Amino acid sequence: PIGRARATLSPVSLSSSAHLVGLLLFGGYDGGSYFDDVWLFDTCTAAWMMLLPHTAQSADASVRPDGRAGHSAITRNSSLKVVIFGGTTGGSFLNDALSFSVRTCQWTRHECAGASPSPRNDHAACRVAESMYVFGGDDSNNYSLNELWEYTLDTRIWTQVVGAGGSSPSPRSGHSLIPLVNRLVVFGGNNPAQRQVFDLALRCFDLHRRRWIDLAVGGGDEITRSRTHHAAIPCG
């Protein structure tokens, strides 16, 4: 694939064997084009394979998503499907949800019920059980957000999550959001309108207690640099 920024790379299963794992690449921006191609990286052979080519014009919205960057992606159904949300085409901001089947190489557009998050890009998302959680991002006016939304994958219903206590993290984009036991952990990011980059503070949303809490952080000065548009994954 062509070099690009703000794409998504999702772990997927290549067979019934848990040892055969691939990485699914979608979207991104190279400074001139917003991509809608789909690539698969086989971690066993260290080889790329193009599943769907890039289209020069906007694709049929009923079949394929528009080329975009700054979207999010999560895997589900034993890592056989990837669900994307939001992003920007360069001309507009998006709040659509679609899923890509690794088996059929086909996209399915989600018809979501009820209220949904406003269009945004550079947000972060993760999956816990059969729910996708989305936090933050920038809207079309370049204002950063600090809403937390839950998307139930089976029913395709969005619900804005309101905490029972604790203060929400500051509005931000370019951050990471990872699941940790029964918590959602937010790290880093920036607020372009305020020219602010966030430090090493870890903010957590407790899914059982439904409240935001601070997570104590140790370590030396070598890990305390502020950063945005990084990547983070749970380990262990």
Side-chain angles (χ1 to χ4, degrees):
I2 297 173
R4 62 195 69 190
R6 299 165 67 205
T8 51
L9 194 63
S10 308
V12 295
S13 296
L14 302 183
S15 73
S16 57
S17 171
H19 300 291
L20 294 179
V21 179
L23 299 173
L24 192 83
L25 172 70
F26 171 72
Y29 176 65
D30 71 347
S33 299
Y34 288 83
F35 295 105
D36 66 349
D37 51 351
V38 181
W39 290 79
L40 179 68
F41 181 77
D42 188 323
T43 58
C44 293
T45 63
W48 284 101
M49 177 174 60
M50 183 175 64
L51 301 183
L52 290 176
H54 173 62
T55 55
Q57 298 179 347
S58 295
D60 182 346
S62 65
V63 179
R64 290 179 62 175
D66 290 327
R68 65 189 67 197
H71 53 288
S72 60
I74 59 100
T75 56
R76 69 171 307 217
N77 288 15
S78 300
S79 300
L80 292 173
K81 286 188 177 180
V82 172
V83 180
I84 68 166
F85 168 73
T88 179
T89 64
S92 61
F93 282 62
L94 306 167
N95 66 341
D96 52 352
L98 302 95
S99 57
F100 180 83
S101 170
V102 179
R103 285 180 173 172
T104 66
C105 292
Q106 292 183 336
W107 285 100
T108 300
R109 182 168 294 275
H110 291 201
E111 298 298 331
C112 305
S116 59
S118 59
R120 62 193 64 199
N121 82 144
D122 291 340
H123 53 279
C126 68
R127 181 178 67 87
V128 176
E130 287 305 304
S131 289
M132 175 175 70
Y133 290 89
V134 172
F135 178 78
D138 291 334
D139 64 15
S140 58
N141 295 313
N142 207 35
Y143 287 115
S144 296
L145 307 166
N146 67 341
E147 306 163 343
L148 178 63
W149 287 82
E150 179 183 4
Y151 181 60
T152 306
L153 295 164
D154 289 331
T155 61
R156 299 183 179 179
I157 294 176
W158 285 101
T159 305
Q160 186 170 357
V161 180
V162 179
S167 58
S168 299
S170 301
R172 65 188 67 197
S173 60
H175 52 286
S176 55
L177 178 71
I178 62 171
L180 182 64
V181 191
N182 295 314
R183 295 174 176 176
L184 307 175
V185 181
V186 175
F187 171 72
N190 70 332
N191 188 323
Q194 297 183 6
R195 299 182 179 179
Q196 180 182 11
V197 180
F198 296 98
D199 57 21
L200 191 66
L202 292 175
R203 302 299 311 282
C204 302
F205 186 79
D206 190 310
L207 293 170
H208 284 173
R209 300 166 62 192
R210 312 300 279 186
R211 62 182 294 122
W212 287 100
I213 57 176
D214 292 321
L215 185 64
V217 177
D221 293 337
E222 69 275 7
I223 61 171
T224 58
R225 287 191 175 185
S226 303
R227 64 198 66 197
T228 183
H229 290 86
H230 54 278
I233 61 171
C235 295

